[in-house]
Amino acid sequence: MEKNSLNGITFYSGEQIPVELHKVRVVQKLFLNPIDERLAAIYRAGFNTFQLNTLDVFLDMLTDSGTNAMSDNQISSMLKADDAYAGSQSFYRMEAAINEVFGKKYVLPAHQGRAAENIISQAFIKKGDVIPMNYHFTTTKAHMELNGGTIFEIYTEEAIKIKSNVPFKGNIDIKKLEDLIAKYGAEKIPFIRMEASTNLIGGQPFSIANMREVRKIADKHGIIMVLDASLIGENAYFVKKREAEFKNSEIKDILLTMCDLADVVYFSSRKVSSTRGGGICTNREDLFMKMRDLVILYEGFLTYGGMSVREIEAMAVGLMETTDETVISQSPSFIEFAVNELDKKGIPVVTPSGALGCHVDAIGFLPHVPQKEYPAGALAAALFIISGCRGMERGTISSVRLENGEDLLADVELLRLAFPRRVFTLSQTKFLIDRLIWLYQNRELVGGLKFVEEPAVLRFFLGRLAPTSNWPEKLVAKFKQDFGESL
Ligand code: F0G
């Protein structure tokens, strides 16, 4: 019989639903507040979902960062943490886990992913350098530019198409890479960066075949490769599912194959190992030495790097669990379910489904809202008002303002609805889908946003916006008409 579920369990009925290979043992109470309270909350938050208080949120789909559910083994490991400034046993356990999972000998701890980016950028980038990559992440770009570098995103044409059946939209375009090296010269390129499960274009993976080609070119020109491994578990899962050569491989071997192709691997442990913290690792002593003293300066001593020893213990266990297919497939299989259900209803979502979250295309959803009125931000606010579900804008608000005062319009306007690992149930997922369907049917009621307070750096975190008309009130009126005074 065919395997019918999304994670390999066979359903006799033929139904296609993901099954949890874990049970719930600790829970947190949630509240779904009345719609008038949600409307007041989004005004208080300046129409920025980062500014919401979680007491006002029902399903928190802002991010998977630091919000994945921990395992019993992770939590119990925290009890045996060895409190020490220097030489902590907890650090050595984490170092051993990194040696095993990423295959790298030298380990530098950092308090989170962007701290690792700061160290790498300061160690390797000089003014006037150019850094090629499959796609930027917000904090990556900010650190690289702060150090005088310019980033170049050399993704393939398919990468930013919303609807696609290309399995590896996170690949680097090899021809563009060669052209870039020819144009600027290898000496201007401190490293090539590849990001696993490319976050900002919809959690899209790269293939190992592509990484091998990039490596060949890097070797030809003597350029090093840096891998952002924050979402590497999911990328490995997609390699296994979508790249024929690896269909019978074990996840641990796929992880090692990817890391082996990079000289430096860094990660946000808030994502990859379902805890807090981050780190950098390499097998090259010369590269390690370039970064080592910066870690002491910015993060702390080399055996804690800004993290508590409890977090370090949980990170060691979480990293080992990243080699377990039932752990890393959980979020992608729920995302696949949501994407398929929304796609069936004609709601524009990024396909194929990827890692981290379900990504709704705000330009397709709200074609009447011009990009400079931030359709993805407006969609995030509208969804929160009508459902209490908090997503994240990943579009022009997350971009920057240029020197001429205009917004740098984003390549894609996405509303990201994150599925942190093992956090939400299928009925909660169905609630989200149901409200999105209602919103799509009433989409003409949603209008744009404008900035009223705009920070100069990473403006999406703290910026405050306002609706361009009274569209939120009209949306609430229609909701009440359809749902009564219900939630
Ligand atoms: N790289 C990638 C690919 C990320 O997704 C993130 C964080 C970072 C680096 C920075 O790591 O947050 O530990 O400092 N992504 C989070 C998100 C914030 O919501 O997608 P950090």
Side-chain angles (χ1 to χ4, degrees), residues 50 62-65 111-117 137-140 193 195-200 228-231 266-271 277-278 356 392 394 416 461:
F50 276 102
L62 186 72
T63 178
D64 62 341
S65 174
H111 78 274
Q112 60 184 86
R114 72 198 68 181
E117 291 170 339
F137 184 69
T138 52
T139 55
T140 326
R193 172 177 176 273
E195 181 182 307
S197 304
T198 328
N199 187 331
L200 293 192
D228 181 334
S230 305
L231 288 165
Y266 79 90
F267 54 93
S268 168
S269 184
R270 300 173 64 81
K271 294 171 112 77
L356 206 170
M392 186 191 289
R394 296 277 75 161
R416 182 181 88 180
F461 281 130

Coordinates of all heavy atoms in Angstrom, one line a residue, residues 50 62-65 111-117 137-140 193 195-200 228-231 266-271 277-278 356 392 394 416 461, ligand 1:
F50 N 5.8 42.4 16.0 CA 6.9 42.3 17.0 C 6.5 43.0 18.3 O 7.1 42.7 19.3 CB 8.2 42.9 16.4 CG 9.0 42.0 15.6 CD1 8.9 42.1 14.2 CD2 9.8 41.0 16.1 CE1 9.7 41.3 13.4 CE2 10.5 40.2 15.3 CZ 10.5 40.3 13.9
L62 N 5.1 33.9 15.1 CA 6.1 34.9 14.7 C 7.4 34.3 14.2 O 7.9 34.7 13.2 CB 6.4 35.8 15.9 CG 7.3 37.0 15.7 CD1 6.5 38.1 14.9 CD2 7.8 37.6 17.0
T63 N 7.8 33.3 14.9 CA 9.1 32.7 14.6 C 9.3 31.3 15.2 O 8.5 31.0 16.2 CB 10.3 33.6 15.1 OG1 11.5 33.0 14.8 CG2 10.2 33.9 16.6
D64 N 10.3 30.6 14.8 CA 10.7 29.4 15.4 C 11.9 29.6 16.3 O 12.4 28.7 16.9 CB 11.0 28.3 14.4 CG 12.2 28.7 13.5 OD1 12.5 29.9 13.5 OD2 12.8 27.8 12.9
S65 N 12.3 30.9 16.4 CA 13.6 31.2 17.1 C 13.4 31.2 18.6 O 12.7 32.1 19.1 CB 14.1 32.5 16.6 OG 15.2 32.9 17.3
H111 N 26.5 34.0 21.8 CA 25.2 34.0 22.5 C 24.0 33.8 21.6 O 23.0 33.4 22.1 CB 25.1 35.2 23.4 CG 24.7 36.5 22.7 ND1 25.6 37.3 22.1 CD2 23.5 37.0 22.4 CE1 25.0 38.3 21.5 NE2 23.7 38.2 21.7
Q112 N 24.1 34.1 20.4 CA 23.1 33.7 19.4 C 23.7 33.8 18.0 O 24.8 34.2 17.8 CB 21.8 34.4 19.6 CG 21.8 35.9 19.5 CD 20.4 36.5 19.8 OE1 20.1 36.7 21.0 NE2 19.5 36.7 18.8
G113 N 22.8 33.6 17.0 CA 23.3 33.5 15.6 C 23.9 34.8 15.1 O 25.0 34.8 14.5
R114 N 23.3 35.9 15.5 CA 23.8 37.2 15.0 C 25.2 37.6 15.6 O 25.9 38.3 15.1 CB 22.8 38.3 15.1 CG 22.5 38.8 16.5 CD 21.2 39.5 16.6 NE 20.1 38.6 16.4 CZ 18.8 38.9 16.4 NH1 18.5 40.2 16.6 NH2 17.8 38.0 16.3
A115 N 25.4 37.0 16.8 CA 26.7 37.3 17.5 C 27.8 36.5 16.7 O 28.9 37.1 16.5 CB 26.6 36.7 18.9
A116 N 27.4 35.3 16.2 CA 28.4 34.6 15.3 C 28.6 35.4 14.1 O 29.8 35.5 13.6 CB 27.8 33.2 15.0
E117 N 27.6 36.0 13.5 CA 27.7 36.9 12.3 C 28.6 38.1 12.6 O 29.4 38.5 11.7 CB 26.3 37.3 11.8 CG 25.5 36.2 11.3 CD 24.1 36.5 11.0 OE1 23.6 37.5 11.6 OE2 23.5 35.8 10.3
F137 N 20.1 37.1 5.2 CA 19.2 37.2 6.3 C 19.4 38.6 6.9 O 20.5 39.1 6.8 CB 19.5 36.1 7.3 CG 18.4 36.1 8.4 CD1 17.1 35.8 8.2 CD2 18.8 36.6 9.7 CE1 16.1 35.9 9.1 CE2 17.8 36.7 10.7 CZ 16.5 36.4 10.4
T138 N 18.3 39.1 7.5 CA 18.4 40.5 7.9 C 19.6 40.9 8.8 O 20.3 41.8 8.5 CB 17.1 40.9 8.8 OG1 17.0 39.9 9.8 CG2 15.9 40.9 7.9
T139 N 19.9 40.0 9.8 CA 21.0 40.4 10.7 C 22.3 40.1 10.0 O 23.3 40.8 10.3 CB 20.9 39.5 12.0 OG1 20.9 38.1 11.6 CG2 19.7 39.8 12.8
T140 N 22.4 39.2 9.1 CA 23.6 38.9 8.4 C 24.0 40.1 7.6 O 25.1 40.6 7.6 CB 23.4 37.7 7.4 OG1 22.5 36.8 7.9 CG2 24.7 37.1 7.0
R193 N 28.9 32.8 1.1 CA 28.0 32.4 2.2 C 26.8 31.6 1.6 O 26.2 32.0 0.7 CB 27.5 33.5 3.0 CG 26.4 33.2 4.0 CD 26.0 34.4 4.8 NE 24.9 34.1 5.7 CZ 23.6 34.1 5.4 NH1 23.2 34.4 4.1 NH2 22.6 33.8 6.2
E195 N 23.2 29.8 2.9 CA 22.3 29.7 4.0 C 21.4 28.5 3.8 O 20.7 28.4 2.8 CB 21.5 31.0 4.1 CG 20.5 31.0 5.2 CD 19.7 32.3 5.2 OE1 20.3 33.4 5.2 OE2 18.5 32.2 5.3
A196 N 21.4 27.6 4.8 CA 20.6 26.4 4.7 C 19.1 26.8 4.9 O 18.8 27.7 5.6 CB 21.0 25.4 5.8
S197 N 18.2 26.2 4.1 CA 16.8 26.5 4.1 C 16.5 28.0 4.1 O 15.8 28.5 4.9 CB 16.1 25.9 5.4 OG 16.3 24.5 5.5
T198 N 17.0 28.6 3.0 CA 17.0 30.0 2.9 C 15.8 30.7 3.4 O 14.7 30.7 2.8 CB 17.2 30.4 1.4 OG1 18.0 29.3 0.8 CG2 17.9 31.7 1.2
N199 N 16.0 31.4 4.6 CA 14.9 31.9 5.4 C 14.0 32.9 4.6 O 12.8 32.6 4.5 CB 15.5 32.6 6.6 CG 14.5 33.0 7.6 OD1 13.4 33.3 7.3 ND2 14.9 33.1 8.9
L200 N 14.5 34.0 4.1 CA 13.7 35.1 3.6 C 13.0 34.8 2.3 O 12.1 35.6 1.9 CB 14.5 36.3 3.5 CG 15.0 37.0 4.8 CD1 15.5 38.4 4.5 CD2 13.9 37.0 5.9
D228 N 25.7 29.1 6.8 CA 24.8 29.4 7.9 C 23.9 28.2 8.1 O 23.0 27.8 7.3 CB 23.9 30.6 7.5 CG 22.9 31.0 8.6 OD1 22.5 30.2 9.4 OD2 22.5 32.2 8.7
A229 N 24.1 27.5 9.3 CA 23.5 26.2 9.5 C 22.3 26.3 10.5 O 21.8 25.4 11.0 CB 24.5 25.3 10.1
S230 N 21.7 27.6 10.6 CA 20.6 27.8 11.5 C 19.4 26.8 11.2 O 18.7 26.4 12.1 CB 20.2 29.2 11.5 OG 21.3 30.1 11.8
L231 N 19.2 26.6 9.9 CA 18.1 25.7 9.6 C 18.6 24.5 8.8 O 18.0 24.0 7.8 CB 17.0 26.4 8.7 CG 16.2 27.5 9.5 CD1 15.5 28.4 8.5 CD2 15.2 26.8 10.4
Y266 N 28.4 28.3 11.0 CA 27.8 29.0 12.1 C 26.4 28.7 12.2 O 25.7 28.4 11.2 CB 28.2 30.5 12.1 CG 27.4 31.3 11.2 CD1 26.2 31.9 11.7 CD2 27.7 31.6 9.9 CE1 25.4 32.8 10.9 CE2 26.9 32.4 9.1 CZ 25.8 33.0 9.6 OH 25.0 33.8 8.8
F267 N 25.8 29.0 13.4 CA 24.4 28.7 13.6 C 23.7 29.5 14.7 O 24.4 29.9 15.7 CB 24.2 27.2 13.9 CG 25.0 26.7 15.0 CD1 24.5 26.6 16.3 CD2 26.3 26.3 14.8 CE1 25.2 26.2 17.4 CE2 27.1 25.8 15.9 CZ 26.5 25.8 17.1
S268 N 22.4 29.7 14.6 CA 21.6 30.1 15.7 C 21.1 28.9 16.4 O 20.3 28.1 15.8 CB 20.5 31.0 15.2 OG 19.5 31.2 16.2
S269 N 21.5 28.7 17.6 CA 21.0 27.5 18.3 C 19.5 27.6 18.7 O 18.9 26.7 19.1 CB 21.9 27.3 19.6 OG 21.5 26.1 20.2
R270 N 19.1 28.9 18.7 CA 17.6 29.1 18.9 C 16.8 28.4 17.9 O 15.6 28.1 18.2 CB 17.4 30.6 18.9 CG 18.1 31.5 19.9 CD 17.9 32.9 19.6 NE 16.6 33.3 19.8 CZ 16.0 33.6 21.0 NH1 16.8 33.5 22.1 NH2 14.8 34.0 21.1
K271 N 17.4 28.1 16.8 CA 16.6 27.4 15.7 C 17.1 25.9 15.7 O 16.3 25.0 15.9 CB 16.8 28.0 14.4 CG 16.2 29.4 14.3 CD 16.7 30.1 13.0 CE 15.5 30.3 12.1 NZ 14.6 31.4 12.4
G277 N 21.2 30.4 22.3 CA 22.6 30.5 22.0 C 22.9 30.3 20.5 O 22.1 30.4 19.7
G278 N 24.2 30.1 20.3 CA 24.7 29.9 18.9 C 26.2 29.5 18.9 O 26.7 29.3 20.0
L356 N 10.6 26.1 8.3 CA 10.3 27.3 9.2 C 8.9 27.7 9.2 O 8.3 27.8 10.3 CB 11.2 28.5 8.7 CG 11.5 29.5 9.8 CD1 12.6 30.5 9.2 CD2 10.4 30.2 10.3
M392 N 4.8 37.0 10.9 CA 5.9 38.0 10.7 C 5.9 38.5 9.3 O 5.9 37.8 8.4 CB 7.2 37.4 11.1 CG 8.3 38.5 11.1 SD 10.0 37.8 11.2 CE 10.0 37.2 12.9
R394 N 7.7 39.6 6.2 CA 9.0 39.4 5.6 C 8.9 40.0 4.1 O 8.7 39.4 3.2 CB 9.4 38.0 5.5 CG 9.5 37.3 6.8 CD 10.9 37.5 7.5 NE 11.2 38.7 8.1 CZ 12.1 38.9 9.0 NH1 12.9 37.9 9.5 NH2 12.4 40.1 9.5
R416 N 5.0 35.4 6.9 CA 5.6 34.1 7.4 C 4.8 33.7 8.6 O 4.7 34.4 9.6 CB 7.0 34.3 7.7 CG 7.7 33.0 8.2 CD 9.1 33.3 8.5 NE 9.3 33.7 9.9 CZ 10.5 33.9 10.4 NH1 11.6 33.9 9.7 NH2 10.6 34.2 11.7
F461 N 11.9 45.6 13.6 CA 11.7 45.2 15.0 C 10.9 46.2 15.8 O 10.0 45.9 16.6 CB 13.1 45.0 15.7 CG 13.8 43.7 15.3 CD1 15.1 43.7 14.9 CD2 13.1 42.5 15.4 CE1 15.8 42.5 14.6 CE2 13.8 41.3 15.1 CZ 15.1 41.3 14.7
Ligands
F0G1 N1 20.7 33.2 10.2 C1 19.5 32.7 9.9 C2 19.3 31.9 8.7 C3 18.4 33.0 10.8 O1 17.2 32.6 10.5 C4 18.6 33.8 11.9 C5 17.5 34.1 12.8 C6 19.9 34.2 12.2 C7 20.9 33.9 11.3 C8 20.2 35.0 13.4 O2 20.2 34.2 14.6 O3 18.3 35.2 15.9 O4 20.0 33.7 16.9 O5 20.7 35.9 16.3 N2 16.3 34.0 12.5 C9 15.2 34.3 13.4 C10 13.9 34.3 12.6 C11 15.3 35.6 14.1 O6 12.9 34.6 13.2 O7 13.9 33.8 11.5 P1 19.8 34.8 16.0

